Amino acid sequence: MCDTLAIVANWREDNTTYFAKNSDRSANEPHLILRVPGGYHEPDSLVRCTYISIPQVEYTRETILYKPSWIWGAEMGINENRVVIGNEAVFTKAKKGDPSLIGMDILRLALERADTATSAVEVMISLLETYGQGGNCGYDKEFYYDNSFLAADPREAYVLETSGKKYAVLKIEDKYAISNRLSIGRNHYEQGGVKPGEDFAKRYTEPVYSHFSAAKQRRSQAMEGLCPTTGAAQLMEKLRTHEKGFAGHEFERGSVASVCMHAGGLVGDQTTGSMIAVLRPSKPVTLWSTGCSTPCISAFKPVFWNSDSPPVFTDPASSLDYWLKREHIHRAIIAGKIDAHALRDRIHELEADWLRQEEQIMNTDTVDDTELIELSATANKQEQALIDEFYVQDWQNIPGRNRYARYWKHKNEKLLDRGQDKGTVHLS
């Protein structure tokens, strides 16, 4: 489960594209942020994806990937050409395919091979037509689905939705959000295996899973209030949105119908990582990144392409440690050991200062990369000090005997016992 949204440059006075995404995965599934260098490759070489190997291209671009720890691909990411992509699980009438490329593999391959949002869509379509899609995407369960994608660059953005090898493409004119159900109707300008003018969502949506994913409610939350003046601060709050009546109960029960998804009881997924990309036409990109779960109690830190501060890492083990320590904070809040309101207040104070400093730097005629690097490093130190201040060792003892408490007791036992095999990832 996930939610992805974008506001495109030509709808805004500042001519800037905004992209935001929550990655919703299994509660114990680590979410890593990794910088992967680009480079040239030998002719006839192969690249090993999650389940299959495919021919490698001559040159792959440097990327920053936001990814499940055990999967080769990524939930969202950006490349050196300022192309950003996010994917969504969608439930369709297509038959389950054999293990092949999964949506997260297709996303990473497109980032490595494309220099614009348009070419990213072309790459993803080519991969889909050549290899199809299929394979288990569940961390601790069997979970199969098709995919939708939102690809953006500083000039434009597109939605690609799929059902097996069939697909439809929509160009975003102002704002758009995708969630865990097909959304493109008859307004697709490009399609494969689909009649022109055919209602793609109506024809290929699997209704039961799509309904119980609560994607319709979350997409409505994501779209509500988006306007030409929506900026990074508003998108942070958008990714922290809870369904009506859920605020104040975030650590008492689960909610699949919240953009900020909370696991527990019958709800098996939670938001494991969040990202906002500010894609300016002629100035550096800002990536506001949590590097951890549950954005309503996590800080969005400013990250820039040339900065080397956490939450971006080159080493998967370090990224895993970073995610786990912050996940312990989340579990301690559920256990009643940390005051969530006090933590949120401190986070909002830090974010307000980082947003102010970032705006000041970006509003200069010539942006000083050194100032951006210093801001990223300072933000990392301030957030780390906050984590160290609030951290408690007794995070795993969840009180109570109801279904919600039993869920988290079980998850904590698994988190303590988990091996490190799924905490690493093959980067080549």
Side-chain angles (χ1 to χ4, degrees), residues 306-340:
N306 293 323
S307 60
D308 58 0
S309 297
V312 178
F313 296 86
T314 57
D315 170 38
S318 297
S319 187
L320 174 63
D321 289 342
Y322 186 96
W323 187 89
L324 284 171
K325 186 165 187 178
R326 285 150 185 79
E327 184 59 23
H328 293 171
I329 295 279
H330 172 223
R331 306 294 171 97
I333 290 174
I334 295 172
K337 304 294 184 179
I338 295 176
D339 183 347

Side-chain angles (χ1 to χ4, degrees), residues 412-428:
N412 285 350
E413 290 172 0
K414 292 293 185 181
L415 196 66
L416 286 168
D417 294 339
R418 66 181 296 276
Q420 294 302 308
D421 59 311
K422 288 190 176 182
T424 58
V425 65
H426 179 52
L427 288 180
S428 61

Side-chain angles (χ1 to χ4, degrees), residues 84-339:
V84 62
I85 311 175
N87 90 302
E88 301 282 333
V90 291
F91 307 104
T92 76
K93 296 176 182 177
K95 293 182 179 179
K96 182 176 70 176
D98 294 330
S100 181
L101 295 179
I102 60 175
M104 288 170 277
D105 294 340
I106 293 172
L107 183 153
R108 175 173 174 175
L109 290 165
L111 287 175
E112 292 181 342
R113 301 178 180 197
D115 60 354
T116 65
T118 300
S119 62
V121 171
E122 292 170 351
V123 168
M124 291 189 287
I125 289 172
S126 177
L127 292 167
L128 184 72
E129 291 178 331
T130 303
Y131 303 101
Q133 56 184 320
N136 177 34
C137 296
Y139 177 70
D140 47 17
K141 62 184 176 183
E142 295 287 306
F143 192 33
Y144 299 85
Y145 50 78
D146 287 332
N147 291 268
S148 65
F149 305 88
L150 197 160
D153 62 30
R155 294 164 296 280
E156 54 189 2
Y158 297 89
V159 174
L160 166 65
E161 296 189 338
T162 72
S163 175
K165 285 191 173 184
K166 297 180 174 65
Y167 65 87
V169 181
L170 169 73
K171 184 175 183 179
I172 301 175
E173 300 297 337
D174 40 36
K175 60 182 179 179
Y176 207 84
I178 58 174
S179 190
N180 302 114
R181 63 183 297 139
L182 298 175
S183 65
I184 298 176
R186 294 185 174 88
N187 52 340
H188 40 85
Y189 81 93
E190 183 179 351
Q191 58 280 320
V194 180
K195 297 177 182 178
E198 183 175 33
D199 190 317
F200 187 75
K202 185 176 181 179
R203 173 69 177 81
Y204 295 104
T205 294
E206 189 288 318
V208 177
Y209 281 97
S210 298
H211 171 74
F212 284 105
S213 74
K216 186 175 183 180
Q217 297 95 309
R218 285 185 281 112
R219 184 172 186 266
S220 177
Q221 291 171 24
M223 290 286 288
E224 184 179 5
L226 292 182
C227 66
T229 59
T230 299
Q234 291 77 28
L235 289 175
M236 290 175 189
E237 297 314 306
K238 181 65 68 176
L239 295 183
R240 290 165 169 153
T241 301
H242 296 131
E243 65 175 308
K244 185 177 180 181
F246 188 64
H249 303 281
E250 305 95 312
F251 307 105
E252 301 171 4
R253 56 185 175 88
S255 172
V256 72
S258 296
V259 170
C260 179
M261 189 174 292
H262 288 252
L266 296 177
V267 180
D269 287 354
Q270 69 177 19
T271 299
T272 57
S274 304
M275 165 195 175
I276 297 165
V278 185
L279 306 174
R280 300 175 179 85
S282 58
K283 293 184 178 181
V285 171
T286 304
L287 301 174
W288 296 97
S289 309
T290 61
C292 55
S293 79
T294 329
C296 67
I297 53 164
S298 302
F300 284 88
K301 284 79 68 174
V303 173
F304 307 96
W305 190 257
N306 293 323
S307 60
D308 58 0
S309 297
V312 178
F313 296 86
T314 57
D315 170 38
S318 297
S319 187
L320 174 63
D321 289 342
Y322 186 96
W323 187 89
L324 284 171
K325 186 165 187 178
R326 285 150 185 79
E327 184 59 23
H328 293 171
I329 295 279
H330 172 223
R331 306 294 171 97
I333 290 174
I334 295 172
K337 304 294 184 179
I338 295 176
D339 183 347

